[in-house]
Amino acid sequence: MTFENRTVKAINGVEIPQLGFGVYKITKEKEFETAISEAIRIGYRHFDTAKIYGNEEALGREIQKSGLPREDFFITSKVWNTDLGYKATRKAFEQTCKKLKVDNLDMYLIHFAAPNDLEAWRAMEELYSEGKIKVIGVANFEIQHLERLMKHAKIPPMINQIETHPEFAQNDLHQYLNQHQILHEAWGPLGQGNKALLEHPELKRIADYHHKTVAQVILRWHLERGIIVIPKSSSPKRMKENSQIFDFELTSDEMEQINQLNIGKRYSVNPTGYMIHPIYNKLMKLFIK
Ligand code: NAD
């Protein structure tokens, strides 16, 4: 089966591949090399990284090694908390581009709502106007963070990348994003591989009916909500499996059954007041080059 690069449009008309590939926690050099070259071979062109993941350089290398033109790829990175601020964010952007070996980014996100994020946004608006970023947005922003940002912004954020999976459907934020024409991108779309979720009997029943796996059903549920997904895997078999989600549809009853699994349970950090702690940021600075 050929890889389908279906896209969704950001408010400025830029097309974003709805299925991307997340590279968080693929840290061992050899594993990273094999995973990315295999992902590219399978057909993935949209890659999601961040300064804090420490693998921008390795991703840039693999993209260059592929021999494919730069414009075939959609590359996202994120500015970390310690680089928020006007000058610091412009500098962080330059460093990220250098590591990725690119002149511009397809998407650049503020990783967390944290001190100096409004000044960082001003830098991002400027970089966008200079044509250096195609889509500017945020990650882990709650409604109150978005309201505050939009009150000060000249250009509203075009996307919000947030934890989303069937047990944490983010219904209120999803509705808010739709109302404001901000795209919803799911991180942890497979619940970060949570075993209980991937073996959930209701999801298993739906998957069996469609001759699909639970992971494919979950990813399809996201697509039908209009969400962009960036599942991560180092296994070629799973990468392929995660890409075969465009050849079936869930009925409205099935969508509703999956919606019923929402219990508001985060598997990861609550972005309000966790990562923004100054001591945490100081510690992180020691680890990030
Ligand atoms: P995920 O939901 O993509 O789950 C990844 C795990 O699921 C893998 O480790 C693997 O064990 C398992 N998996 C993958 N495919 C599978 C399949 N077909 N069957 C069974 N298990 C499968 O979680 P994630 O990696 O945390 O999120 C995806 C991407 O989102 C990251 O790589 C990163 O790029 C991004 N992310 C962003 C933030 C943020 O703060 N903005 C936070 C976390 C992750």
Side-chain angles (χ1 to χ4, degrees):
M1 196 179 297
T2 53
F3 191 97
E4 190 170 333
N5 251 320
R6 192 176 296 184
T7 58
V8 289
K9 260 192 194 150
I11 193 163
N12 60 354
V14 171
E15 309 243 10
I16 305 177
Q18 200 176 3
L19 171 66
F21 189 92
V23 303
Y24 182 41
K25 283 190 182 158
I26 314 182
T27 43
K28 286 185 200 129
E29 211 178 306
K30 195 70 207 155
E31 183 194 0
F32 192 90
E33 225 179 277
T34 314
I36 305 307
S37 61
E38 191 56 28
I40 295 174
R41 201 190 60 75
I42 288 170
Y44 288 92
R45 295 291 179 268
H46 170 180
F47 289 91
D48 180 87
T49 184
K51 174 172 176 176
I52 192 80
Y53 303 169
N55 53 25
E56 288 172 320
E57 209 158 357
L59 179 61
R61 215 166 26 240
E62 289 313 308
I63 285 176
Q64 216 165 51
K65 260 183 13 200
S66 75
L68 295 168
R70 161 71 181 96
E71 51 286 8
D72 281 13
F73 290 94
F74 189 95
I75 308 172
T76 301
S77 194
K78 313 181 192 89
V79 52
W80 185 243
N81 303 359
T82 45
D83 292 322
L84 295 179
Y86 176 75
K87 274 194 185 155
T89 297
R90 284 208 65 123
K91 190 168 159 213
F93 172 80
E94 293 305 330
Q95 287 171 341
T96 279
C97 285
K98 202 167 163 208
K99 282 187 181 160
L100 284 162
K101 299 173 198 55
V102 294
D103 301 322
N104 56 55
L105 280 185
D106 297 286
M107 194 146 90
Y108 198 43
L109 310 177
I110 292 185
H111 210 141
F112 279 90
N116 305 322
D117 55 0
L118 295 180
E119 281 302 289
W121 189 253
R122 194 159 66 80
M124 291 185 37
E125 288 176 325
E126 223 176 75
L127 290 162
Y128 173 77
S129 303
E130 290 164 14
K132 291 186 175 159
I133 311 170
K134 290 191 186 136
V135 176
I136 50 174
V138 293
N140 300 300
F141 269 48
E142 302 283 305
I143 291 175
Q144 76 267 21
H145 303 131
L146 290 165
E147 297 265 280
R148 182 173 151 272
L149 177 60
M150 287 196 286
K151 215 166 99 190
H152 294 89
K154 282 197 219 121
I155 306 171
M158 300 170 189
I159 190 160
N160 189 15
Q161 185 187 101
I162 46 178
E163 176 179 355
T164 317
H165 46 77
E167 292 197 321
F168 195 64
Q170 295 266 27
N171 289 332
D172 292 345
L173 193 42
H174 181 73
Q175 198 185 350
Y176 180 92
L177 295 175
N178 277 346
Q179 274 164 3
H180 290 81
Q181 293 175 280
I182 301 171
L183 292 172
H184 180 164
E185 179 172 30
W187 66 254
L190 296 172
Q192 303 198 298
N194 182 288
K195 203 164 177 286
L197 181 68
L198 290 168
E199 288 176 1
H200 196 290
E202 192 67 28
L203 293 170
K204 184 83 180 69
R205 194 184 53 72
I206 297 171
D208 287 348
Y209 178 78
H210 289 281
H211 305 292
K212 289 285 177 184
T213 65
V214 168
Q216 289 170 322
V217 165
I218 294 176
L219 293 173
R220 184 72 213 182
W221 169 78
H222 286 292
L223 295 191
E224 292 190 18
R225 297 178 82 205
I227 293 175
I228 296 165
V229 288
I230 44 170
K232 181 215 105 179
S233 176
S234 306
S235 133
K237 184 175 163 281
R238 284 176 171 175
M239 286 177 203
K240 203 177 249 168
E241 178 184 324
N242 294 346
S243 74
Q244 290 168 353
I245 52 175
F246 296 99
D247 57 349
F248 77 111
E249 279 176 19
L250 296 170
T251 64
S252 51
D253 276 357
E254 288 167 335
M255 285 297 289
E256 192 42 44
Q257 282 153 17
I258 303 173
N259 292 342
Q260 293 299 320
L261 303 183
N262 181 30
I263 47 170
K265 179 179 165 190
R266 285 183 198 277
Y267 295 166
S268 194
V269 294
N270 184 333
T272 308
Y274 174 75
M275 301 290 247
I276 63 170
H277 196 284
I279 292 176
Y280 179 86
N281 284 330
K282 269 198 184 129
L283 276 174
M284 289 313 293
K285 219 169 187 167
L286 299 175
F287 295 107
I288 311 166
K289 293 265 159 10

